[in-house]
Amino acid sequence: MAEIRLERATKTFGQVHAVRELDLTIADGEFFVLLGPTGAGKTTTLRLVAGLEKLDGGRVHLGGRDVSALAPAARDVAFVFQQYALYPHYTVFDNLAFPLRSPLRRRSPQEVTRRVEEVAKLLRIESKLKNKATKLSGGEMQRVGIGRALVREPNCFLMDEPLSSLDAKLREDLRVELKHIQRDLGATILYVTHDQIEALTMADRIGVLEEGRLLQVGTPRDVYTRPASVSVARRLGSPAINLLRMDAVPGIAAPSRARNIGIRPEDVQLNGRGIEAEVEQVEHLGAESVVVLRAGEERMHALVSGGTSVQPGTAVRAELSREAMLFFDEAGQRVDA
Amino acid sequence: MAESTLTAEGSRRAQVPVGSRGRARGLSDRAVLLLFITPTLVLLLAINIFPLIWNIVLSFTNYRANQPGREIKWIGLRNYERLLGSEDIWGYLQVTAHFVCWSIFFQVLIGFSLAWLLNRQFRGHAFWTTVIVLPMMLSPAVVGTFWTYLFQPQSGIFNYIVNFFIDAGDFSMIGDVALAPWTIVIVDTWMWTPFVMLICLAGLRSIPEYIYEAAEVDGASPWRQFWTITVPMVLPFLMLAVLFRAIENFKMFDMVVELTSGGPGSTTELASINLKREAFESWKTGYSAAFATILFVTVFGAANIYVKFLNQVKKR
C-alpha cells in the first residue's frame, strides 16, 4: 500500500472549476473519506488520482512517485465504481480474474485461481463464482466490484460511492465489512460519498469538499464537534445543527466577532430550565425523538430519548449546553471563545 | 363489519336480473378484446395467411394464371420433383447464396468499422453520419439504374477510378461473367452498409463508459478492451442487423433487375428474379408457386433458428 499525495491539483471542465488547487495527503493504510454534496468535485478528485481525468494543474504522487503523467493502468490503483462496472458477459470468476490477466501483471493460472478464491471467500461470494455477473443481486455485484479491486493488491483503493445504489440493510452490512477488510489489509482507501453516516462510521479522517475546495480535514469526531465553518457543521449530523442568532440566547459570554450560535440537537435538553419555547412537532424515531421547537423567531430541533411525553402545542423550556455551543462569525467561520 | 357489507352487496346483486346488469356495465372484457383484435386478425388473414395457403395449394397443381379457362389438375408433388431435380434451380440458389453471404460480409465489416469510427466526439460528427446514411434513403430501382451508368466501361466513373490506381484496361463490371456477381455485391454494400452502421452505432452507444474505465484501470490494453467488451456487447445488435439484411437480400429483386437483369447469362439471376420470370413471363404458375414455397420454408426456417441463437447470445 502507498501514500496518496495531491499537490495543488486543479481540474476545470469548460467554465466549471471542479477541483481548485487541492492539497491533500492520505497516509499509508489510512481510510480517508471525501464528503461533500453533489458537484463538489469529489468524484473528479478520485478520477484525478486514478488517472481517468487529466490534471489541468498540480501533481499527484502515489507512494512518493509522481504519477501525474502516467496512464491509469501504470498507476496501479484499484477503482470501485458506483455502477459496479462489471464485465457483463463474464462469470464472477472471470470478472475477479480480469485484472490478474492483464499483461502488466501476468500471473500463473494457479495463482489467479488461488487469489480469486481467497477474495471470493473474504467477500462471501465463493458460491457465485460460476454465475454470470449480470445474474447477481445488487449487493453481490458490488461485492464482485470490490473483489476485483482486492485481488490486485494495488497501491491504493479508490471508491466512488460504492454503496449508494444498494438498499439500506445491505449498505450497513457492507459498510462494516469494508471497514474490517481495510483494517485487516492495512489498505489505503480514498472513499467518496455524500452519505455522512458512511463518512462518520468508516473514516480514519474525513475531508469535507465543497465547490472544489477542501473546507476541513480531520477525524470524524473532530469534524463533528469542532467544525471549521457553518457549511461543515451542516454537512454532518442528523437532524442538522441548530443555528441561532446571538440574541436568541441571552446572557452568553461569546467572542465579540460571533454572530451565530451553533448547537447540535442532542445538546438541547428539555429539562425545565433555559429559554422558553413552544413544541411545534414531535417525530418519534424509536430510540430517540426529534422535537421541533419554536423560540421567538427561531426554530430549532432537540434530540431527546424515545420515551418523551412532550406534546405538540405545549410550552417547554430548552436548555442549551454551554460547553457544546459553537460560535460562527459573519462569514460563517467558527470563532473560539 | 366487512362481512355484513359483503352480504348486503350479495343480496342486492341477487335482485338485479342478469341481462340488465350486463347492459348497465356495457361490453364485457371479452367483447372489448375481440373488438380490438378483430380488424387486425381479418387483415392478417386476408393479406398474409390466405395468400400463403393459396400459394401452397397452387403448388400442387398445373395452374397457369394466363389461361383462366384451362382445367386445373392436381398433380401432387410433380412440381417439387421437377424443381429439386433441375440443375438450373441450384444455380440460381448458388447465385443467391453468393450475393447474400458476401454482401452481408462486407456490410458487417465496413458498417462496424464506420460505426466504431463515428462513435467518438469530433467536429462534424452529425454531418458525416448524415452523409454516410444517404444511400440508404434512395429507391433500390434508382440505385440500380444509376449504377449502370457508373459502371459504363468507357464513361463510367467506376472504371475511371479503378484505372487510376491499377491499369485494368477496358473492362465491364456488368458485362463480365466473372465480375457481374461482384457488381451486385458492391452496389448492395454501397447502399446498405449505412444500415448496419446505424445499428452497430446504437450498440456501441449502449456500452457505458465506466466499463471501459474499469478495464483501463485493470490494465487491459485497447486491443483486449475491444475483444472483451466492445465485441461481445455489440454482438446482439450486429446479429440483428445480419438477420434484417439476410431476409432483405434473399428477396432482392428491383436493384439487381435494373442493374444486370440477371445477366450476363444467368450469373446474377437470383432466385427471386428467376421466380418472377417463371411466374409472369413463362406463366408456369403452379411450378413457381412450388418454388416460392421452397424459398419461403428455407428463409423462415433459417430465420427461426437464427433468432433462437440470437436470443441465446442476448442472454449471455
Side-chain angles (χ1 to χ4, degrees), chain B residues 279-302:
Chain B
F280 300 105
E281 285 168 25
S282 311
W283 294 104
K284 292 193 265 177
T285 314
Y287 174 82
S288 27
F291 193 14
T293 306
I294 290 174
L295 286 182
F296 168 75
V297 170
T298 312
V299 175
F300 189 73

Side-chain angles (χ1 to χ4, degrees), chain B residues 62-82:
Chain B
N62 66 346
Y63 177 65
R64 279 168 169 272
N66 64 337
Q67 297 173 13
R70 194 159 161 261
E71 186 199 358
I72 302 170
K73 264 199 284 186
W74 188 264
I75 56 167
L77 289 171
R78 280 255 304 282
N79 281 330
Y80 289 92
E81 281 163 13
R82 269 175 60 206

